[in-house]
Amino acid sequence: VLPRLRPEADMPALIAIKDGAVVAHCPALENLGSKSDGTIEPRAVEEFLDRAGVLLRDPPAFEDLCRIRPEEMMLLENMADERAAAGAAVVEPDPEEFYNCGVEGCNKTFHHEHVGLKTDQQDGLLVSQEDAIGDSYCMPCEIDT
């Protein structure tokens, strides 16, 4: 349980946590330095942490803190093997199975159109001209006068 601290009076604060429990706290950094000039005394912080039982004078090796546990390593290897097996099972479709939309390099296998690209197979319009203006469109007639 975190100590009850008042943001307007107790901050900043130093809280010592050991094995997931608060073992000591220092509201407003009391007795850790000079309030008048706003400095913190490193020796006072070290003493506070030592009395709280959270100061490690000889920290563990980096490898001990950051190593991957054997069960995690096995899980990672298993996931990699499954991914590799799934990748090997993917079969690329035959080139004859691709839909020919008229756009070079397009390998989609289903019927589709590319908006804005005019090809022999499509006009490239979002809405075809027939759908937009219908069959009854007539060019303006020129009237001879």
Side-chain angles (χ1 to χ4, degrees), residues 68-128:
I68 297 176
R69 298 184 314 227
E71 61 270 19
E72 292 172 327
M73 184 59 77
M74 292 298 292
L75 177 63
L76 289 172
E77 289 174 4
N78 188 27
M79 290 169 52
D81 291 345
E82 286 177 359
R83 187 174 295 131
V90 174
V91 178
E92 290 292 322
D94 292 331
E96 298 85 40
E97 293 180 21
F98 289 117
Y99 173 76
N100 182 9
C101 61
V103 175
E104 189 174 329
C106 181
N107 296 328
K108 293 181 181 172
T109 58
F110 54 89
H111 176 79
H112 64 279
E113 293 184 9
H114 296 264
V115 177
L117 296 176
K118 185 174 183 176
T119 65
D120 294 337
Q121 286 78 13
Q122 67 181 35
D123 58 12
L125 300 174
L126 185 59
V127 178
S128 70

Side-chain angles (χ1 to χ4, degrees), residues 14-26:
L14 181 60
I15 301 174
I17 300 173
K18 185 174 186 177
D19 297 325
V22 174
V23 293
H25 68 282
C26 182

